[in-house]
Each structure stands twice: as structure tokens, then as C-alpha cells.
Amino acid sequence: MEGKKILFITNQLSYTGAPLALLNVIKICLKIGIQVDVISLAEGQLRTEFEEILIKPEIWEGIICNSERFMQVVSDFDLVIANTLPAFEAIHLINRTGVPAIWWIHE
């Protein structure tokens, strides 16, 4: 997987279970040479932890409102991992792009 690009989508950047689990997976991906980007549906204090590992999450409060732009962004990745049930809009759009996606539901 070295050299591959993964886009991670999380519901928020809070110190709660799902975003913290995602952060741990991202750290492993970085260690094995995978390029990582993060989109979050909401801001939060966990941003600091991401920035410490040189990841600058983008905040997208309305993916459906920006669906064309979102699908263009997604098409640049080898895989998308969407975290939690609130990412359903993202998964719906990703399915139109042909990019493989994993919907990692924690609820």
C-alpha cells in the first residue's frame, strides 16, 4: 500500500470514540507510507492531534451541497474510509465515482 492515497471522512474532530479510532488508523497508515487526507463534517478540539502528525483536516459541513466538488476530490484517491453513520451522504456520492470505499460504522 506504500504510495497509495486514502481519504478519511469523519463526523467530527472531537475527543470521542470514532474520531479517536480513526486517528489511530491514520497513524498506522502514515507509518507504512500511505498518503492521508481527512475531511471532517464538523470542527473540534481533536484537530490539534491531527496537526501534530502533519494532517490538516478540511471541514465540509455540507457534502451534498458541494457534491460535484466532493466527487472530484474523491476521484484523486485510491480508497475512501468513511467513519460513522453520519457519513452516509459521502458514501452515497462515493459510490458514483468508482473509488473503493469502506464505511466504518461504530454506532
Side-chain angles (χ1 to χ4, degrees), residues 29 38 44 61 65 74 100:
C29 288
V38 175
E61 293 179 354
C65 296
V74 166

Side-chain angles (χ1 to χ4, degrees), residues 17-63:
L20 286 169
L22 193 77
L23 179 61
N24 288 331
V25 170
I26 289 170
K27 288 177 180 180
I28 292 167
C29 288
L30 292 172
K31 283 183 184 178
I32 61 173
I34 296 172
Q35 296 178 24
V36 171
D37 281 322
V38 175
I39 290 176
S40 178
L41 305 179
E43 189 62 78
Q45 295 177 334
L46 193 60
R47 171 179 285 283
T48 305
E49 301 282 337
F50 282 95
E51 290 176 347
E52 285 177 6
I53 59 170
L54 305 178
I55 301 293
K56 295 183 180 178
E58 286 187 47
I59 305 303
W60 286 53
E61 293 179 354
I63 286 176

Side-chain angles (χ1 to χ4, degrees), residues 1-2 6 10 15-16 19 21 23-24 29 31 33 47 50 52 58 63 70 78 83 88-89 92 94 99 105:
M1 289 286 294
E2 187 173 344
I6 298 177
T10 188
Y15 280 96
T16 57
L23 179 61
N24 288 331
C29 288
K31 283 183 184 178
R47 171 179 285 283
F50 282 95
E52 285 177 6
E58 286 187 47
I63 286 176
F70 177 74
D78 299 298
N83 198 20
F88 73 92
E89 290 179 340
H92 175 71
I94 293 163
V99 175
I105 300 174

Side-chain angles (χ1 to χ4, degrees), residues 57-90:
E58 286 187 47
I59 305 303
W60 286 53
E61 293 179 354
I63 286 176
I64 289 289
C65 296
N66 296 301
S67 61
E68 293 300 318
R69 180 172 170 249
F70 177 74
M71 289 191 292
Q72 288 174 343
V73 168
V74 166
S75 66
D76 289 336
F77 291 87
D78 299 298
L79 175 68
V80 178
I81 298 176
N83 198 20
T84 75
L85 195 57
F88 73 92
E89 290 179 340

